[in-house]
Amino acid sequence: MTNLSYQSTRGKESGLTASQAILKGLADDGGLFMPDFIPRLDVPVAKLAGMTYQQVAYEVMKLFLTDYTEEELKYCIGHAYDSKFDTEEIAPLVKADGAYYLELFHGSTIAFKDMALSILPYLMTTAARKNHVENEIVILTATSGDTGKAAMAGFADVPGTRIIVFYPKGGVSRIQELQMITQKGENTAVVSIHGNFDDAQTGVKKIFGDRQFGAKLADKGFQLSSANSINIGRLVPQIVYYVYAYAKLVEGGEIADGDPINITVPTGNFGNILAAYFAKEMGLPVKTLICASNDNKVLYDFFQTGTYDRKRDFILTSSPSMDILISSNLERLIYLSADCDTAKNSQLMKELSASGAYQVTPEMQEKLQDFRGGYATEEENAAEIRHVYGQTGYVIDTHTGVASCVYRKYVEETGDRTPTVIASTASPYKFSHSVMEAVSGDQKDKDEFAIIDDLCKVSGVPVPRAVEEIRDAQIRHNRECDPGQMEQAVAEILGL
């Protein structure tokens, strides 16, 4: 097998192994790590079709994580995708209302982030051993709602690690917030910031870029890494479920081997749909990648015009994990569309930082033709949740609702009936208030857990363990700060 190496999208670092890139999380120049090429799948779909999720995961991940031994990688996969998932398939497909909903929320925190964050602690601790790391690894993460809980659940009490999560106060659902602030684990810390997700993400990147602070941490025996999708160790596991979904469609006779599919993804930070693009580049027959946005439609506008412009109002919506105006992972696609020209990519990222916008060249825009943008307003999202439930009895969450609505509009506009997989990124229980409002009207005077019990009756799906656990859980984290105080908060938490 050819050894891949990793380099920064901004050019100052190259030649890293997969384990080194996973340990670092973010490159020293602020860029994101990318493999020097995207490998092709080396197992035929006919063979993948008969495999378990764990077996497919190995066949995909071995191609990217080439310095992990077979034994190491299988250990990581086996311990990640186990009984913490409440279905044997790990990522089941549900056919409803003319599409295939890929349920990515059967892990311990009922959101798609579990798919990658269940394995990241194992990949990272294995990487630390491989690279003889003596320091304690401090995972620093910004979350728009789901990454924080999934990362903490993965890293809680993992020896040699600490995890600090920043989230926007008032910018996540109550269930998301409760999941985070009740998190157990001696090595976990949660801080709510007085700002939005972009403020949190920018603050985390600033801390990574502060060389002086990094030296201070190293002096005390700490080194930083990230559990956000900026970490390549988050992105690679996400490729797996798209390959698995295609193989299962073939196995179930829904499509023939080689038939194209479309993939629709509700998108905020661009990692989930980028993983689908990687799957296509690996040889999966994907026709169109439909990028679904909510009212924060910066990505929709980008695919329409070639201009990325974050200078706009930040809108709080019922799909908070998508309330993002700076989509970090888009940088990886920009880098690819520039033919891996790190100078060109760096220039565009400088423009984004300085002026809040950049424009790609017509040649780069031409290379983005696999993508099609769409967006759903709050009203359209609620109507879609109501429509799917009314037609099929199937209840979807507010993020899946955005994707489902955008897909419906795409079919109406294009007439394209290619079989389509919709990434269903969270359990409706995570956004029970908004979901029940969409399905049966006003919920404003109801207690959150009374709404959850109503949702159980409506959906016929038992209340997940992740929700039952927080019903009476003790609140353990109540730290708050302004975005400018994030580095200070990290220093206090680590006792510097």
Side-chain angles (χ1 to χ4, degrees):
M1 195 183 298
T2 313
N3 270 350
L4 277 188
S5 67
Y6 287 80
Q7 63 181 29
S8 167
T9 50
R10 301 188 193 179
K12 298 272 173 65
E13 277 184 277
S14 61
L16 277 75
T17 63
S19 64
Q20 288 168 339
I22 287 170
L23 271 176
K24 286 199 80 167
L26 191 68
D28 289 341
D29 58 9
L32 310 188
F33 288 115
M34 279 287 282
D36 45 17
F37 64 94
I38 296 176
R40 302 285 291 181
L41 283 167
D42 61 358
V43 176
V45 167
K47 193 171 175 191
L48 291 169
M51 290 184 181
T52 63
Y53 190 87
Q54 294 84 344
Q55 289 167 330
V56 173
Y58 175 73
E59 295 302 337
V60 172
M61 291 169 69
K62 73 177 188 189
L63 301 173
F64 287 93
L65 310 181
T66 53
D67 67 322
Y68 286 73
T69 66
E70 180 177 352
E71 184 185 11
E72 285 169 341
L73 195 47
K74 285 185 172 173
Y75 173 86
C76 293
I77 290 166
H79 283 76
Y81 305 112
D82 60 6
S83 59
K84 70 173 80 65
F85 286 83
D86 63 19
T87 55
E88 204 178 322
E89 307 98 312
I90 306 296
L93 277 164
V94 174
K95 190 175 184 179
D97 203 36
Y100 300 92
Y101 291 83
L102 178 61
E103 293 190 341
L104 301 172
F105 52 77
H106 288 279
S108 56
T109 77
I110 59 175
F112 82 102
K113 306 293 171 79
D114 287 324
M115 303 301 293
L117 284 164
S118 293
I119 194 167
L120 186 61
Y122 294 100
L123 294 175
M124 203 170 272
T125 50
T126 302
R129 278 197 304 277
K130 291 172 84 65
N131 291 279
H132 313 293
V133 170
E134 301 295 329
N135 288 343
E136 199 164 6
I137 298 165
V138 180
I139 312 294
L140 213 55
T141 291
T143 185
S144 54
D146 290 332
T147 289
K149 171 60 182 178
M152 284 191 291
F155 281 96
D157 293 324
V158 170
T161 69
R162 305 251 196 127
I163 177 158
I164 302 170
V165 168
F166 293 94
Y167 76 93
K169 184 77 177 166
V172 300
S173 81
R174 182 58 180 158
I175 294 297
Q176 286 176 309
E177 183 171 52
L178 283 170
Q179 282 188 303
M180 287 189 278
I181 63 178
T182 60
Q183 175 66 47
K184 293 177 181 170
E186 291 306 307
N187 64 340
T188 65
V190 184
V191 185
S192 65
I193 68 153
H194 309 133
N196 59 41
F197 170 74
D198 289 335
D199 297 324
Q201 182 168 248
T202 301
V204 163
K205 284 185 171 179
K206 267 191 189 146
I207 296 169
F208 270 99
D210 186 337
R211 301 271 76 83
Q212 208 175 342
F213 188 61
K216 192 173 164 185
L217 287 170
D219 191 48
K220 297 291 185 186
F222 297 114
Q223 70 184 61
L224 295 177
S225 189
S226 174
N228 278 90
S229 53
I230 55 175
N231 192 320
I232 197 71
R234 265 283 304 277
L235 188 63
V236 169
Q238 291 181 266
I239 302 166
V240 174
Y241 46 73
Y242 294 113
V243 176
Y244 177 77
Y246 187 86
K248 289 296 131 185
L249 288 173
V250 170
E251 185 185 35
E254 298 290 330
I255 58 172
D257 186 359
D259 284 354
I261 62 166
N262 292 334
I263 297 174
T264 306
V265 187
T267 311
N269 218 16
F270 207 74
N272 201 2
I273 196 164
L274 185 68
Y277 178 73
F278 269 53
K280 176 183 169 78
E281 292 297 290
M282 292 179 80
L284 209 67
V286 177
K287 180 170 169 276
T288 304
L289 293 156
I290 302 163
C291 177
S293 297
N294 62 16
D295 282 315
N296 294 293
K297 60 186 183 67
V298 64
L299 286 165
Y300 167 77
D301 292 341
F302 170 70
F303 285 116
Q304 293 292 105
T305 65
T307 298
Y308 191 93
D309 186 355
R310 66 171 172 81
K311 302 189 303 295
R312 60 185 74 203
D313 290 339
F314 186 99
I315 301 165
L316 290 174
T317 74
S318 61
S319 45
S321 300
M322 299 162 69
D323 291 347
I324 295 172
L325 295 179
I326 305 171
S327 302
S328 280
N329 267 291
L330 186 64
E331 179 170 346
R332 286 186 164 113
L333 183 66
I334 297 301
Y335 164 80
L336 290 172
S337 72
D339 294 325
C340 306
D341 181 339
T342 56
K344 178 66 182 166
N345 178 68
S346 293
Q347 180 56 40
L348 292 173
M349 294 309 127
K350 275 197 193 109
E351 287 173 25
L352 180 65
S353 182
S355 70
Y358 61 80
Q359 168 83 44
V360 298
T361 65
E363 294 76 23
M364 290 169 73
Q365 206 172 351
E366 187 59 34
K367 293 200 171 107
L368 305 175
Q369 295 307 304
D370 292 331
F371 291 87
R372 173 146 179 153
Y375 73 96
T377 64
E378 284 289 87
E379 295 74 20
E380 288 172 325
N381 186 8
E384 181 68 14
I385 294 167
R386 191 159 50 248
H387 166 83
V388 173
Y389 176 69
Q391 291 294 310
T392 65
Y394 185 55
V395 181
I396 55 178
D397 90 292
T398 47
H399 302 74
T400 311
V402 169
S404 189
C405 178
V406 167
Y407 170 61
R408 177 185 308 286
K409 289 204 268 190
Y410 168 81
V411 173
E412 285 166 6
E413 286 165 19
T414 64
D416 180 7
R417 300 264 171 198
T418 302
T420 295
V421 169
I422 294 175
S424 184
T425 52
S427 163
Y429 281 103
K430 203 143 193 175
F431 306 94
S432 50
H433 192 281
S434 299
V435 169
M436 283 303 292
E437 207 142 75
V439 168
S440 58
D442 187 11
Q443 305 285 311
K444 66 173 171 284
D445 295 326
K446 282 196 176 172
D447 168 74
E448 193 74 45
F449 288 97
I451 295 171
I452 281 163
D453 293 335
D454 289 346
L455 178 55
C456 180
K457 290 176 197 143
V458 163
S459 67
V461 175
V463 178
R465 189 170 66 236
V467 174
E468 288 296 1
E469 278 172 358
I470 58 171
R471 210 181 267 266
D472 303 304
Q474 176 195 349
I475 290 172
R476 303 168 59 89
H477 306 276
N478 51 21
R479 192 184 288 263
E480 297 185 20
C481 76
D482 291 331
Q485 301 169 316
M486 287 168 62
E487 188 168 282
Q488 185 187 330
V490 170
E492 286 171 7
I493 289 162
L494 297 177
L496 300 185

